[in-house]
Amino acid sequence: MIIGIGTDIVQLDRLRQKDRERLAQRVLTSEERQWWPKGDVRQIEYLAGRFAAKEALAKAARTGIGRTLGFQDIEILSTDNGCPEVRLSEHSRRKLGWADDVRIHLTIAHERDYAVATVVVERVPNEW
């Protein structure tokens, strides 16, 4: 059963105008920062994609970024085959009432000027 859907889009030029290091410190976890690419274009795409993904998850959770979910509570890493995967802190899972039966599906896309992310949160039967 789907319990939430969220989408967010980020204009890359908006991030180019910000202090990239400061924004990365605020948005990316220490693990995500280890994978932050070198080079201007890839750094902005990576940061924008993670920002959009975290905002999309907060929308799917119907909380927004704030008290229940913060940027540091949500981690977006890649699987061995390159798919983005969400790790949500146990503290936040408890606050949201999301146990092990809740799956978070994420897709991130980049285009020349934008990054977009969509999240679907699903409660699956325990026998899965």
Side-chain angles (χ1 to χ4, degrees):
M1 172 178 74
I2 293 174
I3 58 176
I5 299 172
T7 298
D8 195 65
I9 186 168
V10 175
Q11 188 176 23
L12 299 181
D13 279 344
R14 285 187 61 215
L15 295 187
R16 285 188 185 101
Q17 297 169 9
K18 305 280 184 194
D19 179 341
R20 190 176 312 166
E21 279 296 324
R22 191 163 165 222
L23 185 60
Q25 286 287 344
R26 186 172 146 242
V27 173
L28 302 177
T29 65
S30 59
E31 180 77 14
E32 289 169 321
R33 286 185 56 79
Q34 289 181 25
W35 295 98
W36 199 23
K38 305 296 181 233
D40 184 54
V41 174
R42 295 294 300 149
Q43 271 192 346
I44 292 294
E45 286 179 355
Y46 182 89
L47 185 55
R50 267 55 185 177
F51 185 93
K54 292 177 183 200
E55 287 283 349
L57 177 59
K59 290 173 182 177
R62 297 183 180 100
T63 65
I65 296 291
R67 292 172 132 187
T68 304
L69 284 175
F71 287 119
Q72 297 299 311
D73 295 315
I74 308 164
E75 191 164 66
I76 313 299
L77 298 174
S78 296
T79 63
D80 289 339
N81 62 0
C83 294
E85 181 178 66
V86 178
R87 293 184 191 167
L88 188 59
S89 70
E90 281 303 314
H91 175 74
S92 292
R93 276 188 175 272
R94 280 194 304 275
K95 284 175 91 173
L96 291 167
W98 292 359
D100 290 338
D101 63 340
V102 171
R103 303 284 185 267
I104 303 169
H105 307 277
L106 166 66
T107 185
I108 301 172
H110 302 91
E111 194 271 335
R112 183 174 52 130
D113 297 321
Y114 298 95
V116 64
T118 299
V119 169
V120 175
V121 180
E122 172 187 33
R123 190 174 309 277
V124 295
N126 286 332
E127 62 268 9
W128 278 31

